[in-house]
Amino acid sequence: EKDTESKPQQTKENKENETAEELLEDVKGYGYWKREGDLKDRDQFIPKQIESNSNVSLENKNSTGASAWNTAGTWEEKHYIKSQIENFFNSALPSKKLKNINLLSVKNYSGDTYTFFVRKKAKFVYDCSLTLEINSESNDDPVEIDIKEINNHDTDMEFEFEYKKMDSNLLMAAKKNKANIEKIIKDLFIEFFESQK
C-alpha cells in the first residue's frame, strides 16, 4: 500500500488569500496560465477611474459627423435606412416646384445610401432606385414614375425613368422636366447628407 500524504483541508478564507500562482499549481493542463511572464506585470493593468478635471475630453466629436469614438478619423461607414430617406424626401418635396407638375411623394426606396469617413473627411454615396408620385392640374390622381440608376459615383450615367400610365399632358410635362426632376433628386440627397452632419 502506498503512503499518501494527506493535505490539510483548506478553509474558504484561506483559498481566497492564495495567489493565482498557488491556485493554479495543482491544476493539470492549465500550464499556460502559470507562466511567470504573464503574471509579473499584472499590477500595472488595474483600471482607474477618470477624474473630472482630467485632460481627457469625453465630448471630443469630429466636426465631420463621425462617431465620438472615432477621434482619429479612421475608416467608418454610416448607413441610412429606407424610412430615413423617404421621410426626409417627403418632408422636402412640397417646397420643390416644377411647371405643370406637382411632386407629391417618394416611396419604394431601394438601394444603399451611406456616408463613409476616411482621414477625417466625409464622403456621401448613394446608389438606389425609388418611385416618385406626381400629379398636375389636368390630372389630380397621383401617378408614378419609377426612377432607377440613381447614383452619384457615375457622373455619365443618366437616371432611368419608367413612366406609368398617365394623362398625355402630364406625360409630356414629366418628360420635358426629366432633367429638372433629376436635379431635384440629386439636390435632395445633398440636403439629406447635410442634415446628417
Side-chain angles (χ1 to χ4, degrees):
E1 226 177 90
K2 289 184 181 175
D3 288 338
T4 55
E5 208 177 292
S6 61
K7 288 190 177 179
Q9 292 239 335
Q10 290 183 325
T11 64
K12 185 178 178 185
E13 192 176 305
N14 287 343
K15 282 187 179 181
E16 286 175 0
N17 292 332
E18 284 185 310
T19 65
E21 294 94 333
E22 291 168 337
L23 286 170
L24 293 170
E25 228 168 67
D26 297 328
V27 179
K28 302 218 186 293
Y30 285 87
Y32 171 80
W33 301 106
K34 288 170 50 176
R35 291 192 318 204
E36 291 299 316
D38 289 347
L39 300 169
K40 68 180 179 185
D41 295 328
R42 67 175 178 251
D43 296 347
Q44 295 177 16
F45 301 106
I46 298 170
K48 293 178 183 170
Q49 186 170 356
I50 297 173
E51 298 297 323
S52 59
N53 61 356
S54 169
N55 292 334
V56 178
S57 172
L58 297 177
E59 294 178 9
N60 186 6
K61 185 160 181 181
N62 256 319
S63 60
T64 61
S67 299
W69 59 264
N70 193 4
T71 55
T74 56
W75 183 275
E76 178 185 352
E77 284 187 17
K78 188 185 289 185
H79 290 258
Y80 304 103
I81 59 173
K82 176 180 177 174
S83 60
Q84 284 178 290
I85 306 292
E86 289 184 356
N87 291 343
F88 180 85
F89 271 57
N90 290 331
S91 65
L93 269 179
S95 66
K96 309 296 180 189
K97 303 293 181 195
L98 287 175
K99 189 176 181 182
N100 301 324
I101 295 180
N102 302 317
L103 305 176
L104 302 176
S105 67
V106 159
K107 63 182 186 178
N108 302 331
Y109 165 85
S110 173
D112 206 5
T113 300
Y114 61 95
T115 306
F116 68 89
F117 304 90
V118 62
R119 295 190 184 105
K120 296 190 178 183
K121 289 185 180 175
K123 297 190 190 255
F124 184 59
V125 177
Y126 55 87
D127 191 347
C128 58
S129 63
L130 53 81
T131 300
L132 175 67
E133 286 191 318
I134 63 169
N135 73 1
S136 69
E137 288 180 16
S138 64
N139 188 350
D140 278 345
D141 296 327
V143 291
E144 298 175 352
I145 303 174
D146 286 335
I147 308 173
K148 299 176 181 176
E149 301 295 339
I150 303 169
N151 68 68
N152 64 340
H153 52 80
D154 188 350
T155 52
D156 295 335
M157 174 86 70
E158 286 189 3
F159 296 179
E160 288 182 17
F161 283 61
E162 288 181 16
Y163 303 94
K164 301 289 175 88
K165 190 174 180 181
M166 62 181 79
D167 171 87
S168 60
N169 291 333
L170 181 56
L171 178 60
M172 191 181 298
K175 286 185 174 180
K176 278 185 179 177
N177 279 291
K178 182 179 182 230
N180 294 328
I181 293 171
E182 195 169 311
K183 184 181 182 322
I184 285 171
I185 289 170
K186 285 179 179 177
D187 290 346
L188 284 173
F189 272 110
I190 291 167
E191 288 172 29
F192 175 77
F193 168 58
E194 292 297 326
S195 74
Q196 299 302 309
K197 284 186 176 180

